[in-house]
Amino acid sequence: MSKPNITLWSDANFFSPYVLSAYVALQEKGLPFSLKTVDLNSGEHLQPGWQGFALTRRVPLLEIDGFELSESSAIAEYLEDSFAPPTWERIYPHDLQKRARARQIQAWLRSDLMPIREERPTDVVFGGVKKGPLSDAGKVSAEKLFATAGNLLAHDMPNLFGEWCLADTDLALMLNRLVLNGDEVPERLAEYAAFQWQRASVQRYIALSAKRSG
């Protein structure tokens, strides 16, 4: 089987949680790919010369054999459908209901919990920055995260569905916005986030951000 020609575009600092998700999906699939960056801070992504300008002007951007796709959720689904098990590794559960639940969790993490995302940006996670106490809205959002994650992990297993899937990485990232800032997080959820953070594909991405910030 011929290998596709794949490029993944990232922010220059490798701080994007959505690039992380797409990067982990490619790594877990075992797909070789090139990595390119665009400087969001200087507005490079808003210049017509950039590859993703005609799409959403955001990262991640996947280029694969002449096809371009942005938005991490769309990228993950495209990779799972195009490079399907058993030939390629699975990034979503095989069971249809569990797969739907995983995608529900990912959509929720991308659309809710805004106070956490605003008060605990990913420079906390990837750059070691520390932020002040959460606002009242942040505390309410954190309690919602803890309650929902606690329900999802009530089976006391290290993964959401008994074996790893991409939603585990996304959920761990949201929890680690708080854990890595030193905020109080329920022990079981902090342990889950720490366990997920040790996955090889995640550690490779962390090494990229550490190298750039160092």
Side-chain angles (χ1 to χ4, degrees):
M1 180 181 296
S2 62
K3 294 292 180 69
N5 183 20
I6 302 175
T7 299
L8 179 68
W9 284 86
S10 168
D11 63 296
N13 294 324
F14 299 102
F15 278 8
S16 168
Y18 311 116
V19 173
L20 165 67
S21 191
Y23 180 93
V24 167
L26 286 164
Q27 287 274 331
E28 295 289 342
K29 282 288 180 187
L31 291 165
F33 62 98
S34 300
L35 193 60
K36 295 183 179 181
T37 61
V38 59
D39 191 342
L40 305 186
N41 292 331
S42 70
E44 187 180 355
H45 59 302
L46 303 176
Q47 302 303 314
W50 181 56
Q51 194 76 15
F53 180 81
L55 299 174
T56 59
R57 307 180 191 182
R58 302 203 296 184
V59 294
L61 173 71
L62 182 76
E63 295 179 67
I64 178 165
D65 289 339
F67 175 63
E68 298 169 359
L69 186 66
S70 60
E71 301 302 316
S72 60
S73 55
I75 289 170
E77 292 187 27
Y78 178 76
L79 291 174
E80 185 76 329
D81 292 341
S82 298
F83 304 96
T87 303
W88 304 91
E89 294 298 319
R90 187 180 300 281
I91 59 173
Y92 285 108
H94 173 72
D95 179 82
L96 285 176
Q97 291 186 352
K98 290 180 179 179
R99 193 184 315 167
R101 184 72 70 210
R103 287 170 170 160
Q104 174 194 336
I105 292 166
Q106 289 181 296
W108 171 64
L109 291 168
R110 285 160 170 73
S111 62
D112 202 348
L113 309 172
M114 182 58 75
I116 295 177
R117 288 186 278 151
E118 289 180 344
E119 297 178 35
R120 298 292 181 266
T122 51
D123 57 0
V124 168
V125 177
F126 301 117
V129 175
K130 300 298 182 184
K131 303 293 183 179
L134 288 169
S135 67
D136 289 343
K139 292 175 182 176
V140 170
S141 193
E143 288 304 318
K144 182 177 184 180
L145 171 62
F146 299 156
T148 302
N151 287 334
L152 291 168
L153 296 165
H155 47 57
D156 288 329
M157 289 189 286
N159 300 305
L160 284 165
F161 304 106
E163 59 181 354
W164 178 88
C165 76
L166 191 58
D168 282 301
T169 297
D170 290 347
L171 179 57
L173 181 282
M174 184 61 75
L175 289 166
N176 273 331
R177 290 175 185 264
L178 300 166
V179 172
L180 297 177
N181 191 68
D183 297 301
E184 187 172 343
V185 177
E187 183 178 3
R188 184 163 61 93
L189 299 183
E191 290 176 351
Y192 162 82
F195 176 77
Q196 295 298 331
W197 223 233
Q198 293 308 308
R199 195 165 184 88
S201 55
V202 176
Q203 284 294 307
R204 291 188 189 105
Y205 186 82
I206 293 171
L208 291 172
S209 59
K211 181 179 180 180
R212 187 57 62 97
S213 60

PDB file of all heavy atoms in Angstrom, residues 3-7 32-34 63-67:
ATOM      1  N   LYS A   3       2.063   4.987   0.647  1.00  0.00           N
ATOM      2  CA  LYS A   3       1.815   5.917   1.732  1.00  0.00           C
ATOM      3  C   LYS A   3       1.379   7.268   1.171  1.00  0.00           C
ATOM      4  O   LYS A   3       1.951   7.757   0.198  1.00  0.00           O
ATOM      5  CB  LYS A   3       3.086   6.084   2.576  1.00  0.00           C
ATOM      6  CG  LYS A   3       3.507   4.822   3.325  1.00  0.00           C
ATOM      7  CD  LYS A   3       2.523   4.463   4.424  1.00  0.00           C
ATOM      8  CE  LYS A   3       2.949   3.199   5.169  1.00  0.00           C
ATOM      9  NZ  LYS A   3       4.149   3.384   5.978  1.00  0.00           N
ATOM     10  N   PRO A   4       0.370   7.881   1.770  1.00  0.00           N
ATOM     11  CA  PRO A   4      -0.097   9.185   1.293  1.00  0.00           C
ATOM     12  C   PRO A   4       0.910  10.280   1.625  1.00  0.00           C
ATOM     13  O   PRO A   4       1.736  10.140   2.533  1.00  0.00           O
ATOM     14  CB  PRO A   4      -1.401   9.386   2.066  1.00  0.00           C
ATOM     15  CG  PRO A   4      -1.216   8.592   3.325  1.00  0.00           C
ATOM     16  CD  PRO A   4      -0.401   7.394   2.918  1.00  0.00           C
ATOM     17  N   ASN A   5       0.843  11.365   0.899  1.00  0.00           N
ATOM     18  CA  ASN A   5       1.686  12.530   1.150  1.00  0.00           C
ATOM     19  C   ASN A   5       0.912  13.468   2.078  1.00  0.00           C
ATOM     20  O   ASN A   5      -0.062  14.098   1.660  1.00  0.00           O
ATOM     21  CB  ASN A   5       2.028  13.214  -0.168  1.00  0.00           C
ATOM     22  CG  ASN A   5       2.966  14.382   0.023  1.00  0.00           C
ATOM     23  OD1 ASN A   5       3.653  14.492   1.037  1.00  0.00           O
ATOM     24  ND2 ASN A   5       2.994  15.284  -0.939  1.00  0.00           N
ATOM     25  N   ILE A   6       1.336  13.549   3.328  1.00  0.00           N
ATOM     26  CA  ILE A   6       0.577  14.273   4.349  1.00  0.00           C
ATOM     27  C   ILE A   6       1.423  15.378   4.961  1.00  0.00           C
ATOM     28  O   ILE A   6       2.587  15.170   5.315  1.00  0.00           O
ATOM     29  CB  ILE A   6       0.111  13.325   5.473  1.00  0.00           C
ATOM     30  CG1 ILE A   6      -0.749  12.198   4.899  1.00  0.00           C
ATOM     31  CG2 ILE A   6      -0.667  14.087   6.540  1.00  0.00           C
ATOM     32  CD1 ILE A   6      -1.153  11.154   5.939  1.00  0.00           C
ATOM     33  N   THR A   7       0.820  16.554   5.111  1.00  0.00           N
ATOM     34  CA  THR A   7       1.431  17.657   5.847  1.00  0.00           C
ATOM     35  C   THR A   7       0.428  18.157   6.879  1.00  0.00           C
ATOM     36  O   THR A   7      -0.761  18.327   6.570  1.00  0.00           O
ATOM     37  CB  THR A   7       1.818  18.820   4.914  1.00  0.00           C
ATOM     38  OG1 THR A   7       2.776  18.357   3.959  1.00  0.00           O
ATOM     39  CG2 THR A   7       2.416  19.973   5.703  1.00  0.00           C
ATOM     40  N   PRO A  32       2.983   8.516   8.341  1.00  0.00           N
ATOM     41  CA  PRO A  32       4.098   9.468   8.250  1.00  0.00           C
ATOM     42  C   PRO A  32       3.590  10.800   7.716  1.00  0.00           C
ATOM     43  O   PRO A  32       2.751  10.842   6.801  1.00  0.00           O
ATOM     44  CB  PRO A  32       5.055   8.800   7.263  1.00  0.00           C
ATOM     45  CG  PRO A  32       4.189   7.900   6.444  1.00  0.00           C
ATOM     46  CD  PRO A  32       3.086   7.438   7.338  1.00  0.00           C
ATOM     47  N   PHE A  33       4.103  11.886   8.269  1.00  0.00           N
ATOM     48  CA  PHE A  33       3.657  13.198   7.822  1.00  0.00           C
ATOM     49  C   PHE A  33       4.737  14.235   8.076  1.00  0.00           C
ATOM     50  O   PHE A  33       5.594  14.075   8.946  1.00  0.00           O
ATOM     51  CB  PHE A  33       2.361  13.611   8.532  1.00  0.00           C
ATOM     52  CG  PHE A  33       2.464  13.754  10.024  1.00  0.00           C
ATOM     53  CD1 PHE A  33       2.649  15.001  10.617  1.00  0.00           C
ATOM     54  CD2 PHE A  33       2.361  12.639  10.862  1.00  0.00           C
ATOM     55  CE1 PHE A  33       2.739  15.140  11.996  1.00  0.00           C
ATOM     56  CE2 PHE A  33       2.449  12.767  12.243  1.00  0.00           C
ATOM     57  CZ  PHE A  33       2.633  14.022  12.810  1.00  0.00           C
ATOM     58  N   SER A  34       4.670  15.309   7.289  1.00  0.00           N
ATOM     59  CA  SER A  34       5.542  16.455   7.495  1.00  0.00           C
ATOM     60  C   SER A  34       4.822  17.462   8.379  1.00  0.00           C
ATOM     61  O   SER A  34       3.591  17.548   8.366  1.00  0.00           O
ATOM     62  CB  SER A  34       5.891  17.105   6.149  1.00  0.00           C
ATOM     63  OG  SER A  34       6.554  16.196   5.306  1.00  0.00           O
ATOM     64  N   GLU A  63      -3.030  18.680   4.945  1.00  0.00           N
ATOM     65  CA  GLU A  63      -2.907  18.530   3.494  1.00  0.00           C
ATOM     66  C   GLU A  63      -2.591  17.066   3.224  1.00  0.00           C
ATOM     67  O   GLU A  63      -1.617  16.526   3.754  1.00  0.00           O
ATOM     68  CB  GLU A  63      -1.778  19.386   2.947  1.00  0.00           C
ATOM     69  CG  GLU A  63      -1.949  20.877   3.077  1.00  0.00           C
ATOM     70  CD  GLU A  63      -0.736  21.597   2.509  1.00  0.00           C
ATOM     71  OE1 GLU A  63      -0.524  21.520   1.279  1.00  0.00           O
ATOM     72  OE2 GLU A  63       0.008  22.200   3.292  1.00  0.00           O
ATOM     73  N   ILE A  64      -3.430  16.433   2.411  1.00  0.00           N
ATOM     74  CA  ILE A  64      -3.212  15.021   2.148  1.00  0.00           C
ATOM     75  C   ILE A  64      -3.519  14.707   0.688  1.00  0.00           C
ATOM     76  O   ILE A  64      -4.670  14.806   0.258  1.00  0.00           O
ATOM     77  CB  ILE A  64      -4.044  14.151   3.123  1.00  0.00           C
ATOM     78  CG1 ILE A  64      -3.876  12.674   2.860  1.00  0.00           C
ATOM     79  CG2 ILE A  64      -5.501  14.547   3.144  1.00  0.00           C
ATOM     80  CD1 ILE A  64      -4.371  11.794   3.990  1.00  0.00           C
ATOM     81  N   ASP A  65      -2.465  14.416  -0.056  1.00  0.00           N
ATOM     82  CA  ASP A  65      -2.586  14.098  -1.478  1.00  0.00           C
ATOM     83  C   ASP A  65      -3.413  15.135  -2.229  1.00  0.00           C
ATOM     84  O   ASP A  65      -4.304  14.806  -3.018  1.00  0.00           O
ATOM     85  CB  ASP A  65      -3.184  12.703  -1.658  1.00  0.00           C
ATOM     86  CG  ASP A  65      -2.213  11.603  -1.263  1.00  0.00           C
ATOM     87  OD1 ASP A  65      -0.994  11.874  -1.230  1.00  0.00           O
ATOM     88  OD2 ASP A  65      -2.660  10.487  -0.982  1.00  0.00           O
ATOM     89  N   GLY A  66      -3.142  16.412  -1.968  1.00  0.00           N
ATOM     90  CA  GLY A  66      -3.819  17.486  -2.678  1.00  0.00           C
ATOM     91  C   GLY A  66      -5.133  17.939  -2.071  1.00  0.00           C
ATOM     92  O   GLY A  66      -5.715  18.926  -2.526  1.00  0.00           O
ATOM     93  N   PHE A  67      -5.620  17.238  -1.055  1.00  0.00           N
ATOM     94  CA  PHE A  67      -6.860  17.605  -0.368  1.00  0.00           C
ATOM     95  C   PHE A  67      -6.505  18.343   0.918  1.00  0.00           C
ATOM     96  O   PHE A  67      -5.647  17.906   1.675  1.00  0.00           O
ATOM     97  CB  PHE A  67      -7.671  16.356  -0.044  1.00  0.00           C
ATOM     98  CG  PHE A  67      -8.909  16.608   0.764  1.00  0.00           C
ATOM     99  CD1 PHE A  67      -9.947  17.374   0.267  1.00  0.00           C
ATOM    100  CD2 PHE A  67      -9.030  16.072   2.044  1.00  0.00           C
ATOM    101  CE1 PHE A  67     -11.095  17.604   1.005  1.00  0.00           C
ATOM    102  CE2 PHE A  67     -10.171  16.296   2.798  1.00  0.00           C
ATOM    103  CZ  PHE A  67     -11.209  17.059   2.278  1.00  0.00           C
TER     104      PHE A  67
END
